[in-house]
Amino acid sequence: MHVVGQPPAAPARGAPGLAPATGPARALEPVLRPLRAYGEYILAAASALGVILALWAAFFYAPTEAIQGDVQRIEYVHVPLAWVAYLAFFVVFAASILYLWRRDERWDLIARANAEIGTLFTTLVLVTGSLWGRPVWGAWWAWDARMTTTLILWFIYVGYLLLRSYTGRSEGGARSAAVLGIVGFVDVPINYLSITWWRTQHPAPQLPLGGEPQAPPAVVETLLLALLAFTLLYAYLLIQVYRLHRLQTEAERLRARIESA
Amino acid sequence: MITMITLRRFGAQTASILWKDLRCELRARQVWMAMGMFALLALVIFNFAFDLRVDNVAAVAPGALWIAFVFASILGLGRTFAAEQEHGSLDRLLLCPVDRKAIYAAKLLGNLVFIGAVELISLPVFAAIYNLPVLTGGIIPIVLLGTVGIAAIGTLFAAIAGNTRAREVLLPLLVFPLIVPVVIGAVRATQGLISPLAGDLPWLGLIAAFDVIFLSISAVTFAYVIEE
Amino acid sequence: MSIQTMPASQARPAAEQSLPAAIQVEALSKTFALRPVLRGLTFAVPARARVALLGPNGAGKTTLLRILATLAKPSAGEVLVAGFDVRHDADQVRRRVGYVGHQPHLYEDLSARENLEFFGRMYGISDHRARADALLERFGLRAKANERVRALSRGQVQRLALARGILHEPALLLLDEPDTGLDEDALALLAEVVRARAAAGVTTLLTTHQIARGLALAETALVLAGGRLVHNGPAAALDVDDVRALYTARRGAR
């Protein structure tokens, strides 16, 4: 996950006023440059192939679940989506701290890109969960602890994106968003805990998350494949969204320079 | 030695800002009156909305009470920086050699005073119109800890929302999802007061943990929100 | 009245040379909302100087003042006020800087005295009561001391804002268009305060749209245009037309 741990180095044409590429990023530039040029295509191909393979495995390789039937196959999409969403929100959290600490705008753009991806994936998690819940539980929605937490998470990060849209590309907005990115993520475990306790007296059906300890190997394999494929897809999306934000910021910067020249 | 002096200065600065805010708020606006009226109105409306009867009142009423508190709090929280935004400027305060945490502490205490006053008025009314035995010593820590949790997050996000054009809309949107744990805890603890359950969970502990976590995060991050 | 922060300046005027410069700016750049506002400023202001900071709208005057007052942080470069770095010793700088803007920014629901006392406490002044009284007296506000600011006239509010600016006896007084909306009385008072402060060893930096008044009040003129410093020299050597020419010839002299 080098994409996350290390912000892609600044483009060579970095405008003055933009923080210059930091030490390690610049030193690695000769290695990163070709890797970026071709690595992205490799990543795109790998994630496309991975998702296709995972879907094939979900439909044809994994066995039909005895009680739930084919509906259970949605798990192979639902679980990886949830994993990516949580991963993205963790990156928002980490990048927000780094942004407040280092004040490098690239961390802010990474946080923003991850919040967008995480919110999209959380939406899909809620939709796939509902689609699964309707036939299995007989209801689109149940106030299960995990579902409720996911829903609240969704509200927190939609709030994050709203805040960003209201504050534009200002430094003050970036700092406020970083604070929300930190508080919001810390809130997740407390939320989960409180909702679990809240529901203790009314046990709800569990999501089939790693449900049976003796799951058939084909189920485990399919799930692992799907997890890998969606993580690659996440990495690819992150690079694209991050670059989009970078270019938008750069365009706004250039426009401002022309206007004030 | 140095920490004592720093602490004393911190306390003096907090007290001065709090004094100033209370004075401005009491002289200029009766927002706490509006908050109180709002809380009472909410309690009355819930009565119609849920069609309360003797058999379900104990289960539903604590939720109604806390939603009334939360909604009324948002009204007050939105005015956290009113004295600065309307006739002064937060910049003017930031020009002074004041610990930014003292500003947060003063604003938090101010919110606690106003929300607390509203709760003090609405609790007896709640006990009377819902006919529930909540006016015992046990309610004090629940209301206190619950309110600290709401105000800790609310004060931080009042500063965040205050930086935007959509202050009034954004504040509840950002605050409500974050205070879910404290509301759950407070509702459950209040229910436990009305009809104690065997083996009920330590809800007060959950709220207290929430308070500590959010007070510390808010104190650390507040300066990033208000200044460059 | 003694200036706590610069005790040596009054006793030994000869030592003036060795005092730290009131303001020292080195390669200062500031980008605000992706927009370059200041582009590589370098200048120094000696202690006790009276400086007019001139420039057309959007030249970066207010931004520079905000950086000197620690309200904004430099994007690049170094800024020292009375020898203290605005980034790392912000509280030390705040203690030494007085700021008067074109908006009074007083608490309208507090009385004149309460405002001064509040800010006195914020600056940690131990005898804030006595000092507030002395300033109210000097600025002709004693009769109005217990009136809420809301009830004061515009001129009285401006005078109160001026009093608040020098309450903590700053070593550097920043005046951001203080003459906008001031009446004649208040203007005379402003000029008097600027001269008296300078005589007491205080450095003054003021911005104004009234070029002639700025030049008359100051010894040194700094002219900003397009975020660059285009002139730094004696104010007496410039007249209004020179300054206007500097505003437009922004890529000219450096």
Side-chain angles (χ1 to χ4, degrees):
Chain A
M1 203 84 319
H2 77 275
V3 192
V4 173
Q6 192 172 20
R13 56 185 156 63
L18 181 71
T22 38
R26 177 164 287 173
L28 285 174
E29 191 60 21
V31 186
L32 284 177
R33 196 181 293 265
L35 196 71
R36 258 210 315 280
Y38 301 103
E40 201 181 311
Y41 296 112
I42 298 168
L43 188 57
S47 49
L49 200 68
V51 170
I52 291 167
L53 260 177
L55 287 178
W56 173 83
F59 282 113
F60 302 108
Y61 178 64
T64 308
E65 219 261 0
I67 302 160
Q68 299 172 15
D70 282 334
V71 183
Q72 179 270 339
R73 293 181 195 277
I74 211 164
E75 175 188 341
Y76 302 119
V77 177
H78 180 78
V79 174
L81 284 172
W83 148 250
V84 168
Y86 275 90
L87 175 65
F89 291 146
F90 172 73
V91 177
V92 174
F93 171 69
S96 295
I97 293 176
L98 285 164
Y99 174 68
L100 290 183
W101 182 29
R102 307 304 293 261
R103 292 296 167 91
D104 185 331
E105 99 180 347
R106 284 171 291 172
W107 290 119
D108 175 50
L109 297 180
I110 287 176
R112 188 180 196 150
N114 273 285
E116 287 172 1
I117 296 172
T119 308
L120 172 68
F121 276 57
T122 309
T123 311
L124 296 175
V125 168
L126 292 170
V127 169
T128 51
S130 276
L131 289 176
W132 175 88
R134 177 69 183 142
V136 175
W137 290 342
W140 294 109
W141 187 263
W143 290 99
D144 164 75
R146 210 182 290 265
M147 292 174 80
T148 312
T149 310
T150 309
L151 182 62
I152 291 169
L153 198 66
W154 184 83
F155 274 113
I156 292 174
Y157 287 92
V158 168
Y160 177 98
L161 295 180
L162 265 176
L163 176 65
R164 302 231 64 152
S165 77
Y166 277 122
T167 52
R169 282 173 202 278
S170 66
E171 279 175 41
R175 288 194 310 273
S176 289
V179 170
L180 178 53
I182 294 167
V183 179
F185 191 76
V186 172
D187 205 38
V188 173
I190 312 176
N191 252 319
Y192 183 68
L193 197 68
S194 69
I195 292 162
T196 314
W197 287 3
W198 174 51
R199 280 293 158 198
T200 313
Q201 283 107 346
H202 309 267
Q206 289 292 307
L207 280 182
L209 211 117
E212 319 85 318
Q214 293 100 18
V219 171
V220 177
E221 285 159 21
T222 308
L223 199 53
L224 287 176
L225 175 66
L227 280 170
L228 178 71
F230 277 84
T231 308
L232 288 174
L233 179 65
Y234 158 75
Y236 178 71
L237 282 177
L238 177 57
I239 293 174
Q240 302 305 316
V241 178
Y242 171 79
R243 179 174 303 147
L244 181 67
H245 279 303
R246 235 194 121 100
L247 289 173
Q248 280 175 347
T249 311
E250 201 64 25
E252 267 187 46
R253 200 192 313 278
L254 289 172
R255 195 178 308 136
R257 282 171 68 83
I258 290 165
E259 278 169 12
S260 64
Chain B
M1 262 290 279
I2 289 165
T3 49
M4 272 307 291
I5 293 167
T6 324
L7 262 181
R8 189 170 299 170
R9 273 198 41 206
F10 181 87
Q13 291 174 345
T14 307
S16 301
I17 301 171
L18 177 62
W19 173 89
K20 181 265 297 173
D21 280 344
L22 294 183
R23 193 155 271 226
C24 283
E25 203 64 42
L26 287 174
R27 278 186 189 167
R29 288 157 292 272
Q30 275 76 43
V31 74
W32 54 276
M33 290 261 287
M35 285 164 72
M37 285 306 294
F38 187 86
L40 295 182
L41 191 62
L43 288 175
V44 172
I45 286 176
F46 282 127
N47 207 352
F48 303 129
F50 292 129
D51 186 21
L52 290 179
R53 294 176 309 272
V54 180
D55 58 324
N56 68 2
V57 68
V60 174
L65 177 72
W66 279 95
I67 291 188
F69 281 175
V70 167
F71 279 28
S73 301
I74 287 289
L75 282 186
L77 290 169
R79 308 209 44 97
T80 303
F81 295 93
E84 272 76 20
Q85 276 154 349
E86 278 167 26
H87 5 260
S89 148
L90 194 55
D91 278 355
R92 193 48 250 193
L93 196 53
L94 296 178
L95 274 170
C96 306
V98 175
D99 190 338
R100 276 47 180 151
K101 288 188 185 68
I103 301 179
Y104 175 75
K107 296 292 180 185
L108 171 65
L109 288 172
N111 281 329
L112 285 177
V113 167
F114 286 110
I115 299 173
V118 167
E119 288 166 344
L120 213 61
I121 299 165
S122 19
L123 257 179
V125 177
F126 170 75
I129 64 177
Y130 285 75
N131 193 24
L132 288 170
V134 290
L135 288 182
T136 61
I139 195 78
I140 295 170
I142 301 171
V143 169
L144 199 70
L145 288 174
T147 310
V148 168
I150 295 168
I153 280 296
T155 305
L156 177 70
F157 281 86
I160 289 179
N163 286 339
T164 68
R165 330 174 232 122
R167 208 189 305 161
E168 291 82 3
V169 187
L170 215 44
L171 183 61
L173 280 179
L174 299 179
V175 168
F176 286 163
L178 294 171
I179 59 171
V180 164
V182 97
V183 174
I184 289 177
V187 168
R188 283 287 147 144
T190 311
Q191 270 171 358
L193 206 65
I194 295 166
S195 50
L197 275 170
D200 205 7
L201 288 151
W203 293 110
L204 274 180
L206 172 81
I207 312 177
F210 173 92
D211 289 358
V212 170
I213 292 170
F214 281 102
L215 280 175
S216 23
I217 298 184
S218 301
V220 172
T221 54
F222 183 70
Y224 292 108
V225 175
I226 58 167
E227 69 177 358
E228 245 185 70
Chain C
M1 221 162 244
S2 75
I3 308 303
Q4 318 159 293
T5 49
M6 308 174 69
S9 67
Q10 280 185 316
R12 289 178 291 126
E16 219 169 284
Q17 245 58 20
S18 64
L19 279 174
I23 302 171
Q24 202 158 0
V25 172
E26 191 71 42
L28 167 64
S29 291
K30 174 68 180 174
T31 310
F32 187 72
L34 306 182
R35 215 167 278 266
V37 185
L38 299 176
R39 318 175 192 219
L41 299 187
T42 298
F43 67 91
V45 173
R48 340 177 109 207
R50 274 180 290 146
V51 182
L53 180 62
L54 304 169
N57 275 331
K61 301 185 300 278
T62 301
T63 304
L64 177 57
L65 246 54
R66 285 176 64 84
I67 289 174
L68 292 172
T70 74
L71 287 180
K73 287 204 171 77
S75 303
E78 191 152 285
V79 178
L80 302 180
V81 171
F84 291 99
D85 188 308
V86 291
R87 253 186 287 224
H88 304 116
D89 286 317
D91 262 4
Q92 295 294 341
V93 173
R94 287 177 192 130
R95 264 177 242 286
R96 288 163 176 79
V97 171
Y99 189 99
V100 178
H102 50 280
Q103 283 174 332
H105 288 325
L106 292 155
Y107 295 105
E108 294 197 356
D109 291 309
L110 298 184
S111 71
R113 176 180 282 122
E114 283 167 342
N115 263 289
L116 289 185
E117 287 183 0
F118 171 70
F119 282 100
R121 284 195 209 96
M122 290 296 99
Y123 281 100
I125 301 168
S126 50
D127 60 337
H128 57 265
R129 289 239 161 80
R131 233 188 266 186
D133 279 338
L135 280 170
L136 288 168
E137 178 78 50
R138 181 171 158 209
F139 284 76
L141 290 165
R142 204 171 63 132
K144 299 279 181 183
N146 295 321
E147 298 249 352
R148 289 191 207 178
V149 169
R150 198 181 278 289
L152 298 184
S153 74
R154 197 178 155 74
Q156 288 165 336
V157 171
Q158 294 280 2
R159 274 183 277 162
L160 185 60
L162 202 52
R164 192 256 324 267
I166 60 173
L167 177 69
H168 57 295
E169 308 203 324
L172 171 64
L173 189 56
L174 301 174
L175 305 169
D176 188 13
E177 293 177 24
D179 49 1
T180 307
L182 278 191
D183 53 29
E184 282 307 313
D185 276 1
L187 278 174
L189 186 69
L190 173 69
E192 188 214 307
V193 167
V194 168
R195 296 227 163 77
R197 295 275 99 197
V202 173
T203 313
T204 309
L205 184 71
L206 74 104
T207 71
T208 176
H209 282 300
Q210 316 280 324
I211 301 171
R213 185 175 297 122
L215 292 176
L217 274 171
E219 301 155 334
T220 309
L222 293 172
V223 183
L224 284 181
R228 292 193 177 83
L229 188 65
V230 293
H231 181 82
N232 179 3
L238 290 176
D239 63 27
V240 175
D241 290 335
D242 295 337
V243 176
R244 290 247 164 76
L246 283 167
Y247 283 9
T248 44
R250 63 173 62 149
R251 303 209 184 276
R254 170 72 173 80

